[in-house]
């Protein structure tokens, strides 16, 4: 019941009610100040600092600094551009697969109607969704790394398996991406009321037609939101990749490139290019959000 | 309860006051004997070793960074120094990189937590000196160090070095490779690892340089080395795992291209754990390189920093590095005057002839090439 009411209120809120909204906005103005102050402090200041550092160009010979876009252009060329591309590809694939498999798993659990299945799956998802970083990497290395238990048992290396590849990394990321999707999508699946399906059936709709015209449109905001969340999680992941790939060379990733430029024994004076790369990452995420928001609004209108 | 709170409050106040007066105090930072330790350029400024020891003891502490205990026997070096002079050594972030060391010097200027001394790669020694971050100091054994291995004014001095070697877990590998050419053999599928990404790790970078020499390249041309690893990746032998003591012990990196002193250190460390690790300097490439020591210009413990340098470049310190299979910079001089520990020197992997080193310009060009084409070669 509680969950159902939650969805209904969301639906209700998205309906345009101009007069109420205006008064609420008027009175709420003051109350939002702490929020904006926090956002300005936690996101604005670092953004300005990153932008400032990214625009500072250091001459490698004289060590004199000046303002310019040399770091930004450098960050979008050669190996840095490859790393950015490969990060985007990896994150997009993880997001896509995560959304598909996470939703299917969640739907299986919800549709089964079994509490005994539902609760362990949700609890496990909650735990696994937060299972990232170094522990996750070591789990994979210990089982499927090149001296891993399963690898040794089945001689996987001779069959061409390598954990330290694009495929291996995608699999490792899916380990937290799918559970994250399950937690995100279960409330929305709960909101798919059986009556809708019955109504559709009574009107002679096939299962496919129900999903095509009712199910998926209703779920779309949550699917999109989940996709963006998974993309962001995979795009920003550093510790897992760093611990798993070490050298980070077989799968170039932007986060590993930033780490190499910021702290290493080899490349001198690349710090500001690292800031430029961080700025590129922020732009990519902003771009994804820019695509996501109108889509989400459009599909949310379906519900009104 | 209350007492603790007052204690912590007063500690806090002391810290604030110390921070406020920090800049002013710097100028009066002279020893009891009236020596300004921060500008001393040799032991003579302290009136000899006793004066330096007394001044360092007065400071009581040495703050070091990026000295892994299992790297060139640094653990024992630190313990011996600490015990010998009764100076507490605070060792911070042992796995930090050269650029993180330089960063710590810059960002902690004037703080008590700033590193006193640095052990850095050659490129960072040069750029740090150019930025004026180091205090020039000439240790007592200065004249015995070849000119090509030190900054003329004493800003930095090479400390220890080694050769790129091939480490091999003889329990897992039937026939250990003895050259770079061997590494391409099909029996080493997925087994050949570096110590990190050559764009980040100095030893991995040197591994690529050594491969270049083996494959007909030169100090002017690192490309054959990059191509070699591209080939290694293509035949499936390249193992992207970063070699560490843990990966060596677990057999994740059964063949590692790394400094001979690190590989030899692993061999010693794991001998009693059933790992039979062999170290070979490849027959087709002998690539050597040194790290460098420098003193932070704004060292919070300037006298202790200088005493540390004197200790490192004394026969005792040099022999301790040798014990970690590293080749101390004074090894030739000490072999000549008989202060070297001959038993330790005999344990070093065999090499023929004198090592040669690339010039700064060659190093710079090689790094630019590497950063441009490494990813493409191995991904």
């Amino acid at each position: 019941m509680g969950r159902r009411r939650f969805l209904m209120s969301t639906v209700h809120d998205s309906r345009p009610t101009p007069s109420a909204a205006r008064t609420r906005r008027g009175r709420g103005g003051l109350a939002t100040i702490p929020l904006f102050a926090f956002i300005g402090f936690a996101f604005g200041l670092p953004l300005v600092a990153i932008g400032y550092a990214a625009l500072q160009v250091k001459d490698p010979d004289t060590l004199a600094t000046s303002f310019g876009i040399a770091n930004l252009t450098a960050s979008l060329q050669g190996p840095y551009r490859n790393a950015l591309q490969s990060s985007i590809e990896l994150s997009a694939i993880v997001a896509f697969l995560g959304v598909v498999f996470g939703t299917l798993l969640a739907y299986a659990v919800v549709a089964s109607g079994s509490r005994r299945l539902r609760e362990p799956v949700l609890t496990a998802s909650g735990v696994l969704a937060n299972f990232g970083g170094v522990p996750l990497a070591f789990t994979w290395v210990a089982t499927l790394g090149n001296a891993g238990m399963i690898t040794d048992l089945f001689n996987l290396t001779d069959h061409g398996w390598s954990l330290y590849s694009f495929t291996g990394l995608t699999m490792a990321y899916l380990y937290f991406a799918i559970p994250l999707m399950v937690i995100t999508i279960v409330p929305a699946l709960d909101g798919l009321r059986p009556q809708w399906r019955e109504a559709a059936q009574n009107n002679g709709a096939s299962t496919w037609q129900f999903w095509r015209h009712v199910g998926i449109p209703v779920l779309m905001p949550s699917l999109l939101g989940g996709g963006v969340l998974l993309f962001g999680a995979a795009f920003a992941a550093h510790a897992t990749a760093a611990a798993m790939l070490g050298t980070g060379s077989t799968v170039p990733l932007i986060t590993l490139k930033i780490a190499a430029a910021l702290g290493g024994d080899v490349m001198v004076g690349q710090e500001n290019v690292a800031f430029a790369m961080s700025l590129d990452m922020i732009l990519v995420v902003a771009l994804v959000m820019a695509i996501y928001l109108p889509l989400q609004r459009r599909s949310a209108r379906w519900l009104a | 309860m209350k007492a603790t709170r007052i204690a912590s409050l007063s500690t806090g106040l002391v810290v604030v006051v110390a921070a406020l007066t920090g800049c002013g105090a710097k100028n009066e930072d002279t020893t009891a004997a009236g020596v300004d330790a921060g500008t001393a350029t040799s032991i003579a400024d302290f009136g000899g070793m006793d004066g330096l020891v007394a001044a360092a003891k007065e400071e009581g502490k040495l703050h070091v960074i990026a000295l892994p205990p299992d790297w060139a026997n640094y653990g024992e070096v630190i313990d011996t120094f600490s015990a010998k002079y009764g100076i507490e050594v605070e060792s911070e972030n042992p796995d930090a990189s050269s650029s993180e060391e330089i960063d710590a010097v810059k960002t902690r200027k004037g703080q008590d937590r700033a590193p006193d001394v640095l052990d850095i790669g050659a490129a960072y020694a040069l750029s740090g000196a150019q930025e004026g971050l180091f205090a020039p100091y000439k240790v007592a054994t200065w004249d015995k160090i070849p000119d090509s291995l030190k900054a003329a004014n004493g800003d930095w001095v090479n400390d220890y070095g080694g050769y790129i070697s091939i480490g091999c877990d003889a329990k897992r590998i039937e026939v250990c490779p003895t050259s770079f050419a061997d590494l391409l053999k099909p029996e080493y599928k997925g087994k050949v690892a570096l110590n990190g990404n050559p764009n980040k790790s100095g030893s991995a970078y040197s591994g690529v340089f050594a491969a270049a020499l083996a494959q007909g390249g030169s100090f002017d041309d690192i490309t054959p080395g990059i191509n070699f690893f591209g080939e290694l990746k293509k035949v499936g032998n390249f193992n992207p795992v970063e070699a560490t003591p843990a990966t060596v012990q677990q057999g994740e990196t059964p063949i590692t291209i790394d400094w001979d002193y690190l590989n030899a250190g692993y061999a010693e460390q794991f001998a009693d754990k059933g790992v039979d690790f062999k170290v070979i300097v490849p027959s087709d490439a002998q690539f050597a390189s040194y790290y460098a020591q420098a003193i932070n210009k704004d060292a919070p413990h300037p006298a202790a920093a200088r005493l540390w340098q004197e200790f490192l470049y004394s026969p005792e310190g040099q022999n301790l590095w040798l014990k970690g299979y590293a080749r101390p910079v004074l090894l030739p001089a000490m072999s000549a005057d008989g202060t070297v520990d001959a038993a330790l020197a005999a344990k070093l992997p065999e090499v023929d002839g004198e090592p040669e080193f690339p010039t700064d310009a060659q190093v710079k060009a090689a790094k630019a090439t590497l950063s441009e084409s490494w990813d493409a070669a191995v991904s």
Side-chain angles (χ1 to χ4, degrees):
Chain A
M1 275 307 276
R3 246 180 238 110
R4 199 165 290 170
R5 208 175 296 137
F6 170 72
L7 182 85
M8 291 198 33
S9 71
T10 343
V11 171
H12 182 77
D13 270 358
S14 63
R15 203 170 281 157
T17 43
S19 59
R22 200 178 302 135
T23 51
R24 210 182 298 145
R25 205 175 297 145
R27 242 180 290 135
L30 266 181
T32 58
I33 289 177
L35 174 71
F36 284 113
F38 174 75
I39 291 179
F41 188 73
F43 294 100
L45 272 186
L47 186 62
V48 171
I50 290 174
Y52 179 78
L55 289 173
Q56 271 196 325
V57 183
K58 204 187 221 175
D59 187 283
D61 295 318
T62 63
L63 298 179
T65 49
S66 58
F67 274 96
I69 56 161
N71 295 324
L72 285 168
T73 29
S75 78
L76 290 172
Q77 275 169 1
Y80 295 134
R81 193 189 56 207
N82 288 344
L84 187 62
Q85 266 174 359
S86 139
S87 266
I88 293 175
E89 263 169 52
L90 180 75
S91 314
I93 291 175
V94 167
F96 177 75
L97 294 177
V99 166
V100 170
F101 289 113
T103 308
L104 289 177
L105 177 62
Y107 184 70
V109 170
V110 169
S112 77
S114 151
R115 279 191 75 121
R116 246 189 269 162
L117 187 64
R118 180 190 173 100
E119 278 171 9
V121 169
L122 284 189
T123 312
S125 297
V127 174
L128 291 176
N130 291 298
F131 185 59
V134 178
L136 174 68
F138 281 150
T139 313
W140 280 84
V141 167
T143 47
L144 283 159
N146 58 17
M149 256 173 54
I150 297 180
T151 317
D152 278 354
L153 204 61
F154 297 105
N155 282 326
L156 291 181
T157 309
D158 296 340
H159 295 104
W161 162 255
S162 169
L163 176 62
Y164 319 98
S165 62
F166 196 89
T167 324
L169 204 59
T170 308
M171 283 179 64
Y173 279 14
L174 281 175
Y175 207 69
F176 65 78
I178 292 177
L180 193 58
M181 190 62 201
V182 170
I183 324 181
T184 316
I185 201 76
V186 158
L189 288 172
D190 283 336
L192 275 187
R193 272 172 276 172
Q195 291 95 309
W196 297 347
R197 182 155 208 168
E198 287 156 16
Q201 271 167 353
N202 288 343
N203 287 313
S206 67
T207 309
W208 161 243
Q209 279 173 318
F210 166 73
W211 281 112
R212 168 76 185 77
H213 296 287
V214 182
I216 291 180
V218 168
L219 290 179
M220 200 40 99
S222 308
L223 291 175
L224 283 173
V228 170
L229 188 67
L230 298 195
F231 180 88
F235 193 57
H238 169 246
T240 310
M244 220 169 95
L245 303 175
T247 72
S249 29
T250 41
V251 188
L253 290 180
I254 190 79
T255 44
L256 297 177
K257 276 270 178 273
I258 292 176
L262 272 184
D265 288 340
V266 179
M267 308 306 291
V268 185
Q270 294 285 307
E271 296 85 358
N272 296 47
V273 180
F275 284 110
M277 283 189 272
S278 317
L279 207 59
D280 297 340
M281 283 186 78
I282 294 172
L283 287 178
V284 168
V285 172
L287 216 75
V288 171
M289 292 302 287
I291 299 168
Y292 158 71
L293 283 176
L295 276 178
Q296 200 246 18
R297 208 171 298 140
R298 211 181 123 205
S299 53
R301 212 180 299 143
W302 271 89
L303 298 169
Chain B
M1 202 49 191
K2 208 170 201 178
T4 354
R5 204 172 295 160
I6 291 172
S8 68
L9 186 66
S10 43
T11 318
L13 280 176
V14 168
V15 170
V16 171
V17 172
L20 287 174
T21 57
C23 301
K26 198 84 218 166
N27 297 329
E28 298 141 30
D29 192 16
T30 52
T31 65
V35 183
D36 182 356
T39 58
T41 53
S42 78
I43 200 165
D45 290 346
F46 294 93
M49 192 65 178
D50 293 342
L52 175 58
V53 172
K57 275 189 172 161
E58 206 181 312
E59 291 170 356
K61 257 189 206 170
L62 178 75
H63 196 82
V64 300
I65 181 172
L67 301 183
D70 50 14
W71 182 293
N73 200 25
Y74 254 120
E76 194 177 344
V77 172
I78 290 173
D79 292 345
T80 312
F81 174 79
S82 188
K84 184 168 182 181
Y85 297 110
I87 289 171
E88 185 195 339
V89 179
E90 299 170 325
S91 178
E92 180 193 350
N93 194 4
D95 293 324
S97 64
S98 293
S99 71
E100 284 162 334
E101 290 181 64
I102 294 290
D103 200 45
V105 168
K106 286 184 189 164
T107 53
R108 302 207 197 136
K109 213 171 181 161
Q111 293 182 26
D112 199 37
R113 299 185 308 128
D116 287 307
V117 286
L118 304 166
D119 177 347
I120 43 186
Y124 287 86
L126 291 171
S127 70
Q130 198 182 0
E131 290 180 90
L133 299 175
F134 307 142
Y137 185 81
K138 296 180 179 174
V139 289
T141 46
W142 176 262
D143 292 337
K144 293 181 187 167
I145 301 167
D147 285 341
S148 59
L149 304 179
K150 62 191 180 189
N153 72 339
D155 260 350
W156 55 266
V157 198
N158 280 344
D159 45 16
Y160 58 85
Y163 287 86
I164 282 298
S165 68
I166 299 174
C168 166
D169 187 342
K171 283 260 165 68
R172 288 174 186 263
I173 307 289
E174 264 172 51
V175 184
C176 281
T178 57
S179 66
F180 275 98
D182 278 355
L183 296 175
L184 289 166
K185 288 181 180 168
E187 61 206 86
Y188 303 132
K189 204 174 172 78
K191 297 203 161 52
V192 185
L194 279 169
N195 180 354
N197 185 332
N199 282 314
K200 189 169 183 235
S201 143
S203 36
Y205 154 78
S206 306
V208 179
F209 224 137
L213 298 184
Q215 298 287 308
S218 66
F219 286 151
D220 290 312
D221 185 14
I222 195 177
T223 314
I226 300 171
N227 293 343
F228 173 80
F229 280 94
E231 185 66 26
L232 206 60
K233 161 83 184 167
K234 218 166 76 197
V235 301
N237 288 9
F238 182 60
N239 173 357
V241 177
E242 177 176 344
T244 64
T247 62
V248 168
Q249 194 189 350
Q250 288 155 10
E252 242 194 300
T253 53
I255 299 176
T256 68
I257 301 168
D258 210 336
W259 294 125
D260 55 355
Y261 51 94
L262 293 187
N263 274 334
Y266 299 157
E268 189 184 73
Q269 206 176 339
F270 301 130
D272 53 346
K273 291 185 177 121
V275 180
D276 179 15
F277 208 64
K278 297 235 183 306
V279 188
I280 307 126
V281 174
S283 57
D284 47 0
Q286 298 191 348
F287 183 83
S289 169
Y290 281 98
Y291 281 88
Q293 287 287 330
I295 298 175
N296 180 359
K297 194 176 77 182
D298 298 300
H301 312 104
R306 284 157 177 79
L307 181 60
W308 171 255
Q309 301 298 320
E310 293 291 354
F311 174 72
L312 292 182
Y313 291 94
S314 71
E316 187 179 8
Q318 298 274 301
N319 276 324
L320 280 174
W321 272 332
L322 187 58
K323 197 173 167 189
Y325 301 97
R327 291 162 206 265
V329 70
L330 286 169
L331 185 61
M334 286 165 59
S335 305
D337 66 17
T339 47
V340 72
D341 187 328
L344 293 177
K347 276 166 66 180
L348 290 175
E350 290 274 334
V351 285
D352 302 325
E354 284 295 298
E356 283 176 65
F357 304 96
T359 64
D360 301 336
Q362 285 168 328
V363 168
K364 226 174 203 173
K367 284 174 180 175
T369 313
L370 194 66
S371 122
E372 201 52 49
S373 36
W374 174 257
D375 283 350
V378 297
S379 63

